[in-house]
Each structure stands twice: as C-alpha cells, then as structure tokens.
Amino acid sequence: LINPGSSAAGAGEAQVAKVDDAYASYYNPAGLGFLRGREVVMQHVNWLPNLADDLYYEFLAYRKYLPGIGTFGGHLIFLNLGEQQRTDEFGNDQGTFRSNMWSLALSFGTKISEKSSIGLNMKIIQQNLIDIGTGAEAGKGKSTDFSFDIGYLVKYKKINFGACISNIGPKIDFIDPNQADPQPTNLRM
C-alpha cells in the first residue's frame, strides 16, 4: 500500500476518481478506459532514508490503447528492504540477510458507456523475507501469491466518482500456513 506518483502525493493520494495517466493501473484500473495513446511512468524513492540507507522503492507502469477494445497496461513494483541482522530464537547473532518484495500487475480498462468505465488488475506478489526459519521452523520465509483489483469510474460533467477494491485474494503465509494473514484488501472511493 505504498502509493506511487507525485500527482497522487500532491492530492493526498485521493486518486481513485482522478486517474488520468498510467498510474491508473495502481489506483483504479477503470481509469484506463478513458485514456488513449500510450505512456510509460517511472519512480524511484529512497524509502525511509533516516532509518536506513539501503531501503528503496521502484515503480514502473505502462499503458496502451487498442481502438474498439480498451486500454491494456500494468505495473511493476519493487521494494528493497535492505540488509537486516539475523538472530536465533535466543537472540544470538546469526549474521545478516537481505529481503525484498515485488508485485507485477496486468491491467485492462474499458468504457461501458460514454461516461463510465470498468477495470481489472491481475497481480502476482512475491515477498522474500528470509531464506530459512528460526529455531524449529522448517521452510523459507518466502511467499508467492496472487490477487486482483476491480474498479469502476464514472465522469459526469465536472464530477467524477470512482471506486476500487484492491488486493482481493487468498491469505498469505510464509513458514507456517496456520499463521496466514489476509492480504491488505483496500476499498477506495
């Protein structure tokens, strides 16, 4: 749920009804239905630089309109969590490890009338936290999952209304499936 784009930051991240560029694949894929042409957007952020100097966030998105069909697009997000200290269950130093997370989304948006559109994202998410468990934990701290987003956008005169439900999918687990957590499902309106 790290929100990309300077326009979004300037609008307090209230983008679900404003989406008018390739960032639509993140905020509300229905926004792609109103867009023509093609576009690439990129962003690099040194994430939490006062905490650590090796945390960073990358965002890359693309969109292309196909006449009579709609707009296809997608985005890639990469979050580098840097180097961390590994300890055993008793707090003893076990060296260091690196971790990261990434998400790849394929998007489609199309108009359902002159004033409204719908959109869908299909995502693969991978979280690489640590290569081995601690103590008696068997397995790796790695998770590969899927989710999808569905959005709606209507533009009427000078008023836009948008809604998008993001990260709909199964629970995420790492080493122990009994400790699975729900995805950060989010409704924006």
Side-chain angles (χ1 to χ4, degrees):
L1 295 175
I2 298 171
N3 297 302
S6 58
S7 175
E13 300 168 358
Q15 290 294 103
V16 73
K18 181 188 174 290
V19 288
D20 57 4
D21 56 20
Y23 288 106
S25 68
Y26 180 85
Y27 291 100
N28 184 355
L32 294 171
F34 286 96
L35 301 176
R36 302 295 179 259
R38 61 183 166 186
E39 177 183 25
V40 173
V41 294
M42 296 178 278
Q43 178 177 331
H44 167 82
V45 175
N46 289 329
W47 191 247
L48 305 173
N50 293 331
L51 180 62
D53 61 2
D54 60 350
L55 303 176
Y56 59 88
Y57 172 83
E58 308 286 357
F59 183 88
L60 171 67
Y62 175 77
R63 67 163 174 91
K64 180 176 174 144
Y65 174 69
L66 297 177
I69 299 173
T71 302
F72 288 88
H75 62 265
L76 174 65
I77 298 171
F78 180 78
L79 176 61
N80 182 53
L81 299 171
E83 186 176 81
Q84 291 127 47
Q85 194 68 34
R86 183 175 189 277
T87 60
D88 63 17
E89 66 269 32
F90 304 108
N92 298 316
D93 186 6
Q94 300 289 307
T96 61
F97 67 96
R98 300 187 68 77
S99 57
N100 63 69
M101 301 177 183
W102 61 265
S103 171
L104 176 65
L106 299 176
S107 310
F108 175 71
T110 189
K111 283 185 172 182
I112 53 176
S113 73
E114 282 304 309
K115 297 178 182 169
S116 63
S117 64
I118 57 171
L120 179 70
N121 282 338
M122 294 173 289
K123 299 188 279 192
I124 296 174
I125 304 157
Q126 187 170 81
Q127 300 177 81
N128 304 299
L129 299 183
I130 192 166
D131 55 352
I132 57 173
T134 298
E137 294 176 331
K140 296 184 176 186
K142 179 178 179 176
S143 176
T144 303
D145 299 283
F146 70 91
S147 70
F148 67 94
D149 309 339
I150 187 163
Y152 175 74
L153 180 61
V154 63
K155 295 184 175 190
Y156 183 73
K157 296 186 180 181
K158 294 184 178 186
I159 298 174
N160 292 358
F161 172 78
C164 183
I165 300 175
S166 302
N167 302 321
I168 302 167
K171 289 184 173 184
I172 297 173
D173 69 86
F174 292 92
I175 293 171
D176 183 358
N178 294 322
Q179 294 182 15
D181 292 311
Q183 291 194 34
T185 304
N186 191 25
L187 171 62
R188 294 182 178 113
M189 293 177 65

